[in-house]
């Protein structure tokens, strides 16, 4: 023991200089004898001198150590019990001069007894008073900041840009619903992305990077973060760069999350129409890791967050004096700096606060409210401040918080103007919705008779509700393939009406409103001040005294139908998005009501037209029955008379009348079939070369006999410049001209006059427009009856059909034919004076060389006795008629009763026949199939033998099918003897 002490004493002089230089004292404690040896630096650290330095641990405890520190020195107890070989303790030492210092002692066991208990300890002692007191001050400040953070609900984050680590305080962890004891307070950027809503990440990162790059003073954004339940809550995320490296590169960002979920839910309840209300922010709380440097950093962080708060914050001491404010408070109360704020805030605030409430009662003074907060710890109230002659609604929160050894009161003032405006906008929107509902009810109850008045009332209601000077509805329409729009309805309050003038009628959208079409087609509104619009639009609108305008597009069945407009002619303004949406709904309601009314009106008209058409068809059927039965009666009656005739002359007279009646009946049937084709859109025109002069001779030749019977004077005038060779449908043109001439002959009395004139109106690129006019001195037509002439199933006067006969289809068919030829037909008439029926057609001029004048073979010059015909016809009487008609010519005829039999007969004797006359509709095998079979036979004659259809299938599509099957030509039933002989001569003699 003495050796060890001597060794300690021996080396002590060498250690002493080192201890003095480092401020570290050495000690040795002999546990058995409770002897304590101290170096001079250790004695100095204890505030003693060599004469009164403690010689034992007991003396140290009794004279110098703080009793609480000694009692709680668990480390020494553990060392003395043999649990550990090291001893470490910090305690407060009472110096002789009455002061106290914090001392740190560290020791190790250098000698133990056989039981392992310590016998000798050696160690060092060091004055840590400065750092310990700084640590305690720091802890006090941290506790204060934690309290402020808890009061404000602020969660703190600290982002180290070099490592990417983000540290959070416990308030942030509690905000998300986690247990601070088990939750990892440190995360990285990946964990951050997993917590923040995907839709908010991009904008948040962009704003934060902008601040880090020095583009903004601080970072602030509302984002959604995921809590422990997997739900997203809204927070106001704010931050500021606090540390930079020597190159000025940001190293550390400090920020905080303020829970604003309740406010956000309020915004959504207001239909997303309210602006974001920035949240109350509180003093910054900071967890520090380093002692002196962390304390300084904590102060800077607190100041940065306090200064970044967008709301006015003020702090009062326990004497209710202003001791601090943030920059937002300076701006809010219009004071230049903090000193001015401290000096003049009370009188400024007094001037801002009205003496009485809106109901006349006295207001509580700010001093009264502060005293209430001192007594109760918290107060929140709404008030109004008179700032720059405007009453500004403010929400004030007062909180009592610990401050030094006393307390302070933190005041948070939130400008409520935006919230109040949003509430007012919502109330206005509700009123507008109510008006729209009343408009809907009004229009739904309107019928076609009072709809116009109800519509006018509706737009007036909308105009008065939104305080517009003018409301109108425009509808789109096409004018010469140009999109135009016209105003169809208008209400004007204090503005000059514009309905029907040149500024509101047939306005070209692209010329007058070039930017509107694209915008409105995208279902977007035009909400603008007129002076900000393009010059051409500004000119058109300013001419109507419009200062600002809202245009809401109207779509019907996904097509841009038009728009509803609202004008301001006294003041400029912009409508809110909510108002746009409500007025868009109003536009749809109005357009739907207009369409419904239009459909109702049209349905009523269609119903009337249908009744009229039904009556006309009934009259037509009665006329048709009369027209068909008349020639049928003649045919049956003359047949009976012919059967009983006693002389050949009587028989021939009967047969002649039967033939005339049959042709009349065929004409009626042809008219009905033509009308049927027109109604089913199967009406087609041929395009073949023909001679106009020859066509005129043929048509007039047919009617000359009838005109001679009535001793009528007839003249034809063909203009010299009218072309002769034309390309078109000669038969249909003849039909129209024949119908007009037939009517003129029918309704012109004996000795009357009829004239036909043909003139060329124009010619362009070889297309000639020709006009045909037929004038007569007949009975004439009433002017109001002329329009009915060209309608199917109607005649100008029912008495006419009884007196003159006719189906009433001829002119309707003629109208369809003429319009298919690019022309039109009309009539002018004076009763008892005469009528002038005219029509135009367009046809292509062609060469005379295209006309087949010399290709027509005359049947009179053909020896038919040498011609052999194969006739395929399934009906016996039809075979008898053909054989009887052709018998006088000497033609040799073999008959087949169906298509299959005709094919077999041709296969057996392919060279026997010169021509095949083929019916179409036959049993076993029809005529088309039989023709295809014959053309497919491996016989030379199968490809060249003429096959002519002789059938009742007489439509153009029937002729086309015949040609497609391989037939050469077509003859329609009932057959004309001359036509049959001409076709046989043409195909057997060529």
């Amino acid at each position: 023991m003495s050796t060890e002490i001597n060794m300690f004493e021996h080396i002590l002089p060498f250690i002493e200089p080192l201890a003095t230089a480092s401020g570290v004292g050495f000690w040795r404690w002999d546990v058995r004898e409770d002897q304590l040896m101290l170096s001079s630096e250790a004695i100095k650290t204890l505030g003693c001198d060599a004469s009164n330095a403690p010689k034992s641990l007991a003396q140290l405890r009794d004279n110098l150590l703080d009793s609480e520190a000694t009692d709680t020195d668990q480390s020494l107890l553990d060392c003395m019990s043999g649990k550990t070989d090291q001893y470490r303790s910090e305690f407060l030492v009472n110096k002789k001069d009455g002061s106290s210092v914090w001392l740190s002692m560290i020791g190790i066991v250098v000698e133990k007894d056989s039981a392992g208990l310590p016998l000798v300890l050696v160690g060092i002692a060091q004055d840590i008073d400065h750092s310990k007191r700084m640590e305690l001050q720091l802890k006090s400040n941290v506790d204060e900041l934690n309290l402020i953070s808890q009061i404000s609900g602020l969660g703190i984050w600290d982002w180290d840009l070099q490592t990417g680590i983000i540290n959070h305080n416990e308030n942030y962890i509690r905000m998300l619903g986690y247990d601070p004891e088990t939750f990892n307070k440190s995360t990285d950027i990946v964990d951050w992305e997993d917590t923040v809503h995907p839709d908010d990440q991009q904008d948040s990162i962009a704003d934060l990077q902008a601040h880090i790059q020095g583009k903004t003073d601080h970072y602030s954004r509302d984002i959604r973060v995921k809590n422990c339940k997997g739900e997203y809550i809204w927070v106001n995320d704010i931050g500021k760069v606090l540390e930079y490296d020597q190159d000025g590169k940001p190293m550390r960002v400090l920020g905080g999350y303020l829970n604003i979920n309740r406010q956000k839910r309020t915004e959504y309840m207001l239909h997303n129409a309210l602006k974001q209300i920035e949240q109350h922010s509180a003093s910054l709380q900071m967890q520090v890791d380093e002692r002196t440097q962390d304390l300084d950093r904590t102060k800077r962080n607190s100041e940065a967050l306090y200064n970044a708060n967008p709301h006015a914050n003020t702090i009062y001491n326990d004497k209710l004096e202003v001791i601090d404010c943030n920059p937002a408070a300076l701006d809010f109360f219009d004071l230049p700096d903090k000193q001015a704020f401290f000096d003049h805030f009370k009188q400024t605030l007094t001037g801002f606060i009205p003496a009485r409430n809106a109901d006349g009662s006295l207001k509580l003074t700010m001093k009264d409210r502060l005293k209430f907060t001192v007594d109760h710890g918290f107060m929140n109230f709404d008030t109004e401040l008179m700032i720059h002659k405007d009453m500004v609604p403010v929400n004030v929160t007062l909180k009592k918080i610990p401050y030094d050894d006393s307390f302070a009161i933190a005041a948070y003032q939130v400008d409520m103007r935006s919230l109040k405006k949003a509430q007012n906008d919502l109330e206005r929107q509700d009123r507008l919705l109510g008006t729209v509902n009343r408009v809907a009810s009004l229009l739904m109850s309107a019928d076609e008779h009072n709809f116009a008045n109800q519509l006018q009332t509706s737009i007036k209601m909308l105009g008065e509700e939104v305080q517009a000077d003018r409301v109108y509805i425009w509808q789109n329409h096409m004018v010469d393939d140009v999109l135009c729009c016209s105003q169809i309805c208008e209400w004007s309050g204090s503005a000059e009406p514009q309905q029907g003038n040149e500024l509101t009628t047939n306005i070209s959208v692209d010329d007058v409103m070039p930017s509107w079409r694209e915008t409105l087609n995208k279902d977007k509104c035009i909400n603008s001040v007129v002076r900000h619009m393009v010059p051409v639009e500004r000119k058109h609108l300013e001419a109507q005294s419009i200062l600002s305008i809202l245009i809401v597009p109207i779509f019907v069945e996904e097509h841009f139908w038009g728009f509803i407009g609202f004008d301001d002619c006294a003041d400029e303004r912009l409508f809110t998005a909510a108002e746009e949406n409500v007025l868009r709904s109003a536009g749809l309601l109005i357009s739907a009501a207009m369409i419904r009314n239009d459909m109702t009106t049209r349905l009523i008209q269609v119903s009337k037209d249908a009744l009229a058409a039904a009556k006309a068809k009934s009259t037509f059927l009665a006329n048709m029955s009369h027209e068909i039965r008349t020639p049928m009666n003649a045919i049956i009656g003359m047949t009976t008379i012919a059967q009983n005739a006693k002389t050949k002359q009587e028989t021939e007279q009967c047969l002649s009348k039967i033939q005339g009646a049959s042709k009349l009946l065929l004409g009626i049937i042809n008219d009905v079939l033509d009308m049927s084709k027109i109604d089913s859109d199967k009406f087609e025109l041929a395009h073949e070369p023909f001679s106009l002069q020859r066509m005129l001779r043929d048509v007039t030749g047919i009617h000359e006999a009838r005109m001679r019977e009535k001793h009528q004077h007839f003249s034809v005038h063909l203009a010299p410049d009218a072309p002769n060779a034309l390309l078109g449908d000669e038969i249909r043109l003849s039909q129209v001209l024949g119908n007009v001439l037939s009517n003129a002959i029918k309704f012109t009395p004996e000795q009357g006059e009829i004239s036909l004139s043909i003139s060329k109106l124009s010619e362009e690129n070889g297309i000639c427009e020709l006009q045909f006019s037929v004038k007569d001195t007949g009975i004439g037509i009433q002017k109001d009856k002329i329009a009915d002439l060209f309608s199917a199933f109607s005649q100008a006067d029912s008495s006419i059909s009884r007196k003159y006969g006719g189906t009433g289809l001829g002119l309707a068919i003629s109208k369809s034919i003429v319009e298919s030829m690019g022309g039109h037909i009309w009539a002018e008439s004076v009763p008892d004076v005469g009528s002038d029926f005219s029509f135009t057609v367009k046809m292509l001029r062609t060469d005379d060389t295209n006309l087949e004048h010399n290709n027509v073979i005359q049947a009179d010059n053909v020896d038919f006795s040498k011609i052999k015909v194969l006739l395929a016809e399934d009906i016996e009487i039809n075979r008898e008629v053909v054989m009887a008609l052709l018998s006088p010519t000497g033609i040799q005829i073999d008959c087949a009763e169906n298509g299959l039999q005709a094919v077999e007969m041709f296969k057996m004797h392919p060279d026997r026949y010169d021509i095949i006359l083929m019916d179409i509709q036959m049993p076993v095998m029809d005529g088309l199939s039989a023709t295809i079979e014959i053309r497919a036979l491996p016989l030379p004659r199968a490809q060249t033998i003429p096959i002519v259809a002789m059938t009742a299938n007489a439509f153009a599509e029937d002729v086309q099918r015949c040609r497609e099957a391989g037939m050469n030509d077509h003859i329609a039933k009932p057959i004309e003897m001359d036509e049959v002989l001409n076709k046989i001569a043409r195909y057997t003699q060529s």
Side-chain angles (χ1 to χ4, degrees):
M1 176 66 68
S2 60
T3 303
E4 293 174 356
I5 293 175
N6 290 336
M7 288 181 61
F8 183 77
E9 293 174 348
H10 178 70
I11 65 173
L12 194 59
F14 298 99
I15 297 176
E16 190 72 21
L18 296 175
T20 302
S22 62
V24 176
F26 292 92
W27 57 266
R28 180 181 185 276
W29 180 38
D30 187 329
V31 177
R32 292 166 296 190
E33 299 180 5
D34 190 21
Q35 290 184 351
L36 181 65
M37 292 184 60
L38 301 170
S39 69
S40 60
E41 186 63 28
I43 294 172
K44 179 180 177 182
T45 299
L46 292 174
C48 305
D49 50 35
S51 61
N52 58 12
K55 304 299 182 179
S56 65
L57 183 61
Q59 291 181 0
L60 178 64
R61 289 178 175 173
D62 294 339
N63 299 329
L64 300 177
L65 299 185
D66 183 271
S67 59
E68 292 184 3
T70 304
D71 293 340
T72 58
D73 192 1
Q74 185 64 40
S75 177
L76 181 61
L77 295 175
D78 290 343
C79 184
M80 295 305 297
S81 63
K83 292 182 180 180
T84 177
D85 292 339
Q86 293 185 355
Y87 160 69
R88 182 183 299 271
S89 178
E90 294 180 0
F91 47 83
L92 195 64
V93 176
N94 298 314
K95 291 186 177 184
K96 296 298 183 178
D97 59 4
S99 63
S100 60
V101 296
W102 279 94
L103 185 68
S104 171
M105 294 190 70
I106 301 173
I108 60 174
V109 177
V110 297
E111 184 178 349
K112 297 181 180 180
D113 61 11
S114 59
L117 298 176
L119 296 176
V120 178
L121 285 78
V122 296
I124 61 174
Q126 186 176 13
D127 185 345
I128 60 170
D129 189 68
H130 177 72
S131 60
K132 186 65 177 180
R133 293 186 186 278
M134 292 293 289
E135 179 183 345
L136 293 175
Q137 179 63 34
L138 177 62
K139 183 176 183 303
S140 173
N141 290 340
V142 169
D143 291 341
E144 181 181 337
L145 290 174
N146 281 334
L147 179 59
I148 295 174
S149 175
Q150 292 174 7
I151 293 173
S152 65
L154 186 68
I156 307 300
W157 54 264
D158 187 347
W159 183 16
D160 189 328
L161 297 179
Q162 293 179 315
T163 64
I165 299 300
I166 305 173
N167 289 306
H168 305 90
N169 72 342
E170 292 183 358
N171 205 45
Y172 166 79
I173 297 169
R174 290 191 182 93
M175 183 188 299
L176 299 185
Y178 294 101
D179 184 359
E181 297 298 328
T182 60
F183 188 82
N184 183 14
K185 298 182 180 179
S186 298
T187 62
D188 56 22
I189 195 66
V190 175
D191 295 321
W192 178 86
E193 292 177 351
D194 183 59
T195 303
V196 177
H197 194 287
D199 292 345
D200 299 336
Q201 291 181 15
Q202 185 175 356
D203 291 339
S204 177
I205 292 173
D207 289 355
L208 190 53
Q209 289 297 331
H211 173 59
I212 291 173
Q213 295 168 7
K215 297 179 180 178
T216 59
D217 178 64
H218 66 279
Y219 157 73
S220 176
R221 173 163 284 279
D222 292 348
I223 62 173
R224 289 162 285 183
V225 295
K226 189 188 301 181
N227 62 16
C228 63
K229 299 179 181 179
E231 301 170 345
Y232 285 101
I233 63 172
W234 280 98
V235 299
N236 178 225
D237 187 15
I238 57 177
K240 189 176 182 66
V241 176
L242 291 183
E243 288 189 10
Y244 298 86
D245 61 14
Q246 61 185 3
D247 297 326
K249 181 179 178 181
M251 297 177 61
R252 181 163 170 258
V253 182
L254 182 69
Y257 287 151
L258 190 62
N259 191 329
I260 59 171
N261 201 48
R262 180 179 298 176
Q263 291 88 335
K264 281 295 182 179
R265 286 201 304 269
T266 302
E267 290 179 7
Y268 289 129
M269 292 174 61
L270 295 177
H271 301 282
N272 296 320
L274 303 179
K275 295 182 179 179
Q276 289 185 341
I277 302 176
E278 297 182 6
Q279 307 302 308
H280 297 296
S281 60
S283 300
L284 182 64
Q285 175 186 4
M286 188 99 201
Q287 175 120 17
V288 294
D289 297 326
E290 302 177 1
R291 295 177 180 177
T292 304
Q293 293 180 354
D294 286 352
L295 178 61
D296 183 58
R297 186 180 301 128
T298 300
K299 292 179 179 178
R300 294 201 308 271
N301 293 343
S302 299
E303 291 176 358
L305 190 58
Y306 184 67
N307 292 334
N309 192 333
H311 299 301
N313 291 174
T314 311
I315 299 178
Y316 301 85
N317 62 13
D318 54 3
K319 297 178 182 179
L320 304 185
E321 298 171 338
V322 179
I323 59 175
D324 199 7
C325 70
N326 66 349
L330 298 177
D331 294 338
F332 186 81
F333 293 105
D334 196 22
L335 292 170
D337 51 43
K338 285 191 176 184
Q339 189 58 48
F341 195 92
F342 300 152
D343 295 340
H344 305 292
F345 176 68
K346 286 187 177 180
Q347 54 266 40
T348 299
L349 187 60
T350 301
F352 284 171
I353 300 177
R356 295 183 179 273
N357 295 308
D359 60 2
S361 60
L362 290 173
K363 281 183 176 289
L364 287 175
T365 66
M366 191 64 184
K367 186 175 182 179
D368 294 333
R369 299 185 190 277
L370 291 172
K371 287 182 178 179
F372 180 89
T373 307
V374 170
D375 296 337
H376 298 85
F378 177 84
M379 186 177 190
N380 179 269
F381 59 93
D382 291 334
T383 186
E384 289 184 329
L385 302 179
M386 180 65 72
I387 300 178
H388 299 306
K389 299 182 180 180
D390 292 329
M391 292 299 294
V392 177
V394 180
N395 175 263
V396 181
T397 300
L398 302 177
K399 291 183 180 180
K400 182 179 179 181
I401 60 175
Y403 184 78
D404 289 339
D405 297 330
S406 183
F407 66 86
I409 296 177
Y412 309 93
Q413 294 90 18
V414 180
D415 189 339
M416 302 295 287
R417 280 178 289 190
S418 59
L419 178 60
K420 293 293 185 182
K421 181 180 182 301
Q423 290 174 338
N424 293 335
D425 289 344
L426 184 59
E427 292 174 0
R428 184 179 179 186
Q429 179 182 342
D430 289 340
R431 291 196 304 271
L432 184 55
L433 281 170
T435 302
V436 171
N437 289 333
R438 292 194 297 275
V439 166
S441 300
L442 188 67
L443 293 177
M444 289 296 291
S445 63
D447 57 29
E448 70 277 7
H449 301 296
N450 66 350
F451 181 79
N453 292 333
Q454 300 289 59
L455 179 61
Q456 192 70 22
T457 301
S458 297
I459 63 175
K460 176 184 178 183
M461 291 168 60
L462 290 174
E464 291 176 343
E465 180 60 45
V466 299
Q467 298 179 350
D469 296 312
R470 188 185 295 125
V471 184
Y472 42 76
I473 299 172
W474 288 56
Q475 184 175 4
N476 296 334
H477 56 90
M478 301 300 294
V479 177
D480 297 331
D481 296 328
V482 175
L483 178 64
C484 295
C485 55
S486 295
Q487 186 169 288
I488 62 173
C489 183
E490 180 193 63
W491 168 82
S492 292
S494 58
E496 185 72 21
Q498 301 294 314
Q499 183 72 27
N501 64 24
E502 69 279 2
L503 297 174
T504 59
T505 305
N506 293 336
I507 302 301
S508 171
V509 175
D510 292 332
D511 291 341
V512 179
M513 299 167 283
S515 66
W516 289 25
R517 185 172 186 175
E518 181 179 0
T519 301
L520 297 177
N521 263 321
K522 292 179 180 178
D523 198 16
K524 294 182 179 179
C525 295
I526 295 171
N527 187 5
S528 178
V529 175
V530 171
R531 58 187 170 85
H532 295 158
M533 304 177 80
V534 298
V536 64
E537 296 170 354
R538 187 170 66 246
K539 179 180 179 182
H540 184 76
L541 297 177
E542 287 177 346
Q544 303 173 64
S545 303
I546 303 173
L547 297 180
S548 59
I549 190 169
L550 172 65
I551 299 296
V552 179
I554 298 174
F555 284 83
V556 176
E557 296 180 353
E558 299 183 357
H559 294 289
F560 178 33
W561 181 89
F563 56 83
I564 180 171
F566 300 83
D567 291 348
D568 288 317
C569 300
D571 299 298
E572 294 180 343
R573 67 158 161 178
L574 294 176
F575 286 81
T576 66
E579 289 172 328
E580 284 187 14
N581 291 332
V582 175
L583 292 175
R584 185 193 304 274
S585 299
L588 289 174
L589 287 172
I590 290 174
S591 64
M594 293 176 65
I595 293 170
R596 178 182 65 84
N597 181 71
D598 183 58
M599 291 179 63
T600 301
T601 304
R602 282 188 289 171
L603 285 173
I604 293 173
Q605 186 59 44
V606 167
S607 177
K608 292 179 180 178
D609 294 343
L611 291 174
K615 182 178 180 181
K617 287 188 177 182
S618 177
T619 303
F620 165 76
L621 290 174
N623 292 340
M624 185 61 65
S625 175
H626 175 268
E627 292 299 317
I628 292 176
R629 290 175 182 275
T630 298
M632 284 297 297
N633 181 64
I635 293 170
I636 295 171
M638 287 297 107
T639 301
T640 303
I641 294 172
Q643 289 174 342
N644 298 325
K646 298 179 179 180
T647 64
K648 181 179 180 181
Q649 183 178 5
E650 290 178 351
T651 302
E652 288 178 349
Q653 288 177 351
C654 290
L655 292 177
S656 176
K657 292 179 180 180
I658 289 172
Q659 185 179 30
S662 299
K663 289 183 177 180
L664 177 60
L665 180 60
L666 180 61
I668 294 171
I669 293 172
N670 285 337
D671 281 349
V672 173
L673 292 177
D674 279 345
M675 200 66 230
S676 174
K677 286 191 288 184
I678 291 170
D679 286 345
S680 60
D681 293 330
K682 293 183 178 180
F683 191 78
E684 296 181 359
L685 296 177
H687 295 279
E688 297 177 352
F690 70 94
S691 168
L692 176 62
Q693 296 175 6
R694 187 181 65 192
M695 185 274 292
L696 292 175
R697 287 197 301 269
D698 292 344
V699 172
T700 56
I702 294 172
H703 295 86
E704 281 179 349
R706 177 63 177 148
M707 287 188 282
R708 284 196 297 270
E709 289 179 2
K710 298 184 71 174
H711 305 289
Q712 293 170 338
H713 302 282
F714 178 63
S715 61
V716 178
H717 174 71
L718 177 63
D721 60 346
N724 178 50
L726 297 170
L727 186 65
D729 195 325
E730 177 184 5
I731 295 176
R732 292 300 182 185
L733 182 59
S734 301
Q735 182 179 355
V736 175
L737 186 56
N739 280 336
V740 177
L741 279 173
S742 178
N743 284 338
I745 295 169
K746 182 190 298 186
F747 299 115
T748 301
E750 294 187 358
Q751 304 297 328
E753 296 183 359
I754 301 173
S755 64
L756 167 64
S757 62
I758 304 95
S759 60
K760 185 180 78 170
L761 299 181
S762 64
E763 181 174 356
E764 185 176 355
N765 297 326
I767 298 177
C768 300
E769 184 177 13
L770 304 178
Q771 178 172 319
F772 296 78
S773 296
V774 176
K775 294 183 180 180
D776 63 56
T777 57
I779 61 174
I781 309 165
Q782 295 289 341
K783 186 175 182 180
D784 59 343
K785 301 293 185 180
I786 291 179
D788 295 333
L789 293 175
F790 302 101
S791 300
F793 316 119
S794 66
Q795 293 178 321
D797 191 339
S798 58
S799 62
I800 293 176
S801 62
R802 292 192 295 271
K803 182 176 181 181
Y804 294 97
T807 63
L809 295 177
L811 289 176
I813 295 170
S814 298
K815 179 176 181 292
S816 296
I817 294 173
V818 166
E819 289 176 350
S820 298
M821 293 181 174
H824 63 286
I825 186 170
W826 69 96
E828 298 174 357
S829 184
V830 177
D832 300 325
V833 175
S835 303
D836 181 356
F837 282 79
S838 301
F839 64 90
T840 63
V841 295
K842 292 181 180 179
M843 291 189 173
L844 184 64
R845 179 197 290 269
T846 187
D847 252 336
D848 287 341
T849 55
N850 293 327
L851 303 179
E852 300 180 356
H853 296 301
N854 301 322
N855 293 334
V856 179
I857 298 176
Q858 299 297 324
D860 296 339
N861 301 325
V862 177
D863 184 2
F864 289 99
S865 62
K866 297 179 180 181
I867 298 175
K868 297 180 179 61
V869 177
L870 174 57
L871 173 63
E873 172 63 64
D874 63 309
I875 299 177
E876 182 178 359
I877 190 171
N878 287 344
R879 294 197 299 271
E880 291 179 2
V881 169
V882 174
M883 295 177 68
L885 290 175
L886 297 181
S887 177
T889 65
I891 292 178
Q892 302 176 46
I893 303 176
D894 290 343
C895 294
E897 296 182 4
N898 56 61
L900 181 60
Q901 191 177 30
V903 174
E904 294 300 326
M905 292 173 65
F906 177 77
K907 287 170 62 177
M908 294 176 60
H909 306 287
D911 297 326
R912 172 180 174 81
Y913 303 110
D914 298 299
I915 190 170
I916 300 175
L917 301 179
M918 183 78 73
D919 189 18
I920 298 300
Q921 295 187 10
M922 295 184 292
V924 183
M925 181 181 288
D926 61 64
L928 297 177
S929 300
T931 301
I932 294 172
E933 289 284 335
I934 291 173
R935 295 300 189 203
L937 292 173
L939 301 171
R941 184 61 175 154
Q943 304 301 318
T944 59
I945 185 169
I947 303 177
V948 177
M950 192 162 64
T951 175
N953 295 7
F955 289 157
E957 56 268 25
D958 298 320
V959 177
Q960 181 63 27
R961 282 196 291 269
C962 291
R963 294 189 181 277
E964 291 173 352
M967 295 183 176
N968 300 83
D969 212 330
H970 179 280
I971 299 174
K973 295 179 181 178
I975 60 175
E976 291 283 348
M977 183 64 176
D978 291 341
E979 182 183 11
V980 174
L981 292 178
N982 285 334
K983 292 289 177 72
I984 293 175
R986 175 182 175 187
Y987 288 106
T988 59
Q989 304 301 309
S990 58

